[in-house]
Amino acid sequence: MKINKIDEKLLDYISQEKTSGEFLAKELGISRTAVWKRINKLKKYGYEIESSKSGYKLLKPDESLLPNNLKKILKTRFIGKEYIYFQEIDSTNNYAKNHPELKHGTVVLAENQIAGKGRKGRKWVSAPQKGLYFSIVLHPQIDVSQILKFSLTFPYAVKLALDKYVKNDIYIKFPNDLYMNNKKFAGILLESEIEGDQLTRVIVGIGINVNNDPEDFEGLEVPATSLKIEEGKTFNRAKILADILKYVEDIYLQCLEGHMDIISKVNEILLWKGKTVKVKDNNSELTGILIGLDQSAGLRIMTEDGEKVIYSGDLTLRTN
Ligand code: BT5
């Protein structure tokens, strides 16, 4: 269920000061009972609202991901100007895929995903209200051959935005996971639509473990972590989201205009460089030393049979 314009207005009032039910009813053109029902709905959504005889007040308004708050702090030109917020959804990528009318730059975010997706049909575990789970819709009009290079924009932008908040080093694991202390804390799923040799629409699904706790990752087959676990404090998700969207926009534009050598930038922070890795892709498997990215953003691996370049696959560190 979506937060609609009336909810947004209501939140705007109660985030500024304690506001009476009577005033809200008049301003919003609804009954006092309807105001009360909406307040209860918002509380169920997890928003802390103080209710008393004299009115309602939203607590911690600056930390909410609701549209009214995000719009106040967002500094982008087009990414996130259209912002669709869900308390719960199957997957933000599915929503964007099923809505071809969404404009370039639209962001779809959910506090909880009940069927969050990873690559190749895998799952993304989305602990409610703790992480950031969102999709950005882009209409890039670039050549399909550039897709791998283009896809580096997103993990790199997330890394740069988060560097301001964390002390630990962030690495990019090919093709676009983010790691800290050898554990995964963010993943990106790109779903593309192609016409001829042009990339016409891309849905960039970004999942980041922000304030997630260790028990949220029980049963996962990869070592997972969150910013809170590694940094020992909780974070303001709204500020982080606004910063990420700004970095994505800046880097996206710089790459499109040819002003950034994204491959070298990512190469510098590539996880497991110089280490022996295994790369699995469908039925094939390869072992060798990870050298880095090549000119087309493929991954260079030095195997016993010489250097190989791979363009997709799942990497693990060889431990024996
Ligand atoms: C990814 O796939 O890492 C891409 C994840 C993209 C999630 C976002 S959330 C918003 C948008 N809407 C969606 O439905 N999806 C996107 P992949 O590289 O295939 O990794 C998936 C694997 O990561 C799983 O098989 C687990 O082992 C692990 N995993 C699942 N949830 C995790 C989590 N919360 N933190 C760390 N690892 C996780």
Side-chain angles (χ1 to χ4, degrees), residues 155-212:
Y156 188 58
V158 173
K159 180 219 151 46
L160 287 191
L162 292 178
D163 274 347
K164 294 204 313 202
Y165 293 88
V166 301
K167 293 198 184 81
N168 285 290
D169 290 332
I170 297 174
Y171 294 92
I172 295 178
K173 180 183 163 212
F174 180 88
N176 43 27
D177 286 347
L178 288 151
Y179 270 60
M180 197 182 260
N181 295 330
N182 272 312
K183 286 169 268 176
K184 175 166 170 173
F185 71 91
I188 298 177
L189 168 69
L190 244 74
E191 295 188 279
S192 315
E193 288 165 24
I194 294 164
E195 268 171 41
D197 53 9
Q198 290 284 297
L199 200 60
T200 50
R201 196 166 100 106
V202 179
I203 296 156
V204 186
I206 304 182
I208 306 170
N209 303 324
V210 181
N211 295 326
N212 307 52

Side-chain angles (χ1 to χ4, degrees), residues 240-301:
I240 291 183
L241 176 64
D243 275 341
I244 289 175
L245 297 180
K246 177 77 175 121
Y247 273 95
V248 168
E249 182 173 287
D250 288 351
I251 294 170
Y252 171 79
L253 292 174
Q254 283 183 54
C255 286
L256 274 195
E257 289 157 11
H259 297 322
M260 183 184 278
D261 181 1
I262 186 95
I263 296 179
S264 336
K265 300 267 185 202
V266 172
N267 211 5
E268 282 166 25
I269 48 159
L270 204 60
L271 186 74
W272 298 335
K273 240 184 338 185
K275 300 250 166 42
T276 305
V277 294
K278 268 190 195 168
V279 189
K280 268 193 191 165
D281 196 13
N282 299 325
N283 297 323
S284 65
E285 192 174 306
L286 197 121
T287 301
I289 297 171
L290 195 159
I291 304 173
L293 296 175
D294 79 350
Q295 285 310 303
S296 55
L299 194 66
R300 298 169 60 201
I301 307 277

Side-chain angles (χ1 to χ4, degrees), residues 91-92 113 117-119 122-125 184 187 209 221:
S91 142
T92 56
Q113 293 185 118
K117 300 189 296 183
R119 294 176 299 134
R122 290 186 288 239
K123 286 197 177 115
W124 180 260
V125 175
K184 175 166 170 173
N209 303 324
E221 57 273 26

Side-chain angles (χ1 to χ4, degrees), residues 133-145:
Y133 319 115
F134 61 101
S135 302
I136 307 172
V137 178
L138 295 170
H139 299 171
Q141 304 292 341
I142 59 168
D143 198 89
V144 175
S145 61

